[in-house]
Amino acid sequence: MKQAIAGVTPPSIKEATIMTVWPSVAAMKLGPFPVGLWLGKLYSLQVGFYVFTVGNLICLMSIPIALVLYAKRIGPIVATRYRVTNKRVMVERGLGAKEDKSIAFNHFDAIDIEVKPGQDWYDAGDLVFRFGNVERFKLEGVSRPAAFRQVCMKARDGFVGVQEALGE
């Protein structure tokens, strides 16, 4: 074993993955159209009685569309992933998880959660990374955004704390 503590790797030696999540169906688009958001808004309609609501009926009728969106979400060629490492937060796309964009932990100090209409049905939201009042980075349609935000902030606090202690 080459590590003092199993699973802990200093950022100066190697970039290690802490957590990877896939965007919710709420973030999926077909072309320029945010179909995932539209479906979430429709599914939330509570007009009706018991389980026979307009939203539930639309949910049943839209199963083929939802399956296409889900396949796009996890498909190896088109999939997008959000990955937290011991250095930064990244957006990876496609086969082989090619890095699309990223933000280092010392380039933000707060993360806000914005829930658009339609995302609440999926328990999803957008994470907005800010430095002061300036938006620096955005992850759209993150599933369970509060938990992912907490992981990002804990990893950031650990990274920045060590950097301050070392005087870097």
Side-chain angles (χ1 to χ4, degrees), residues 57-119:
L57 294 174
I58 292 172
C59 190
L60 283 172
M61 292 187 304
S62 67
I63 287 174
I65 297 168
L67 287 173
V68 169
L69 293 178
Y70 186 77
K72 184 177 177 189
R73 175 181 179 248
I74 62 170
I77 297 172
V78 294
T80 299
R81 295 168 274 311
Y82 303 144
R83 185 163 66 114
V84 180
T85 70
N86 56 349
K87 291 183 178 184
R88 59 195 171 144
V89 179
M90 294 188 284
V91 176
E92 298 174 330
R93 296 189 193 281
L95 195 60
K98 304 271 192 254
E99 181 182 338
D100 184 36
K101 56 185 178 177
S102 67
I103 186 167
F105 286 137
N106 55 357
H107 291 145
F108 67 91
D109 59 4
I111 304 173
D112 297 332
I113 299 173
E114 295 177 356
V115 180
K116 295 177 185 170
Q119 287 180 332

Side-chain angles (χ1 to χ4, degrees), residues 112-116 119 124-128 130 135 138-139 141 145:
D112 297 332
I113 299 173
E114 295 177 356
V115 180
K116 295 177 185 170
Q119 287 180 332
D126 297 344
L127 293 184
V128 180
R130 298 185 188 280
E135 180 180 321
K138 189 173 194 173
L139 297 178

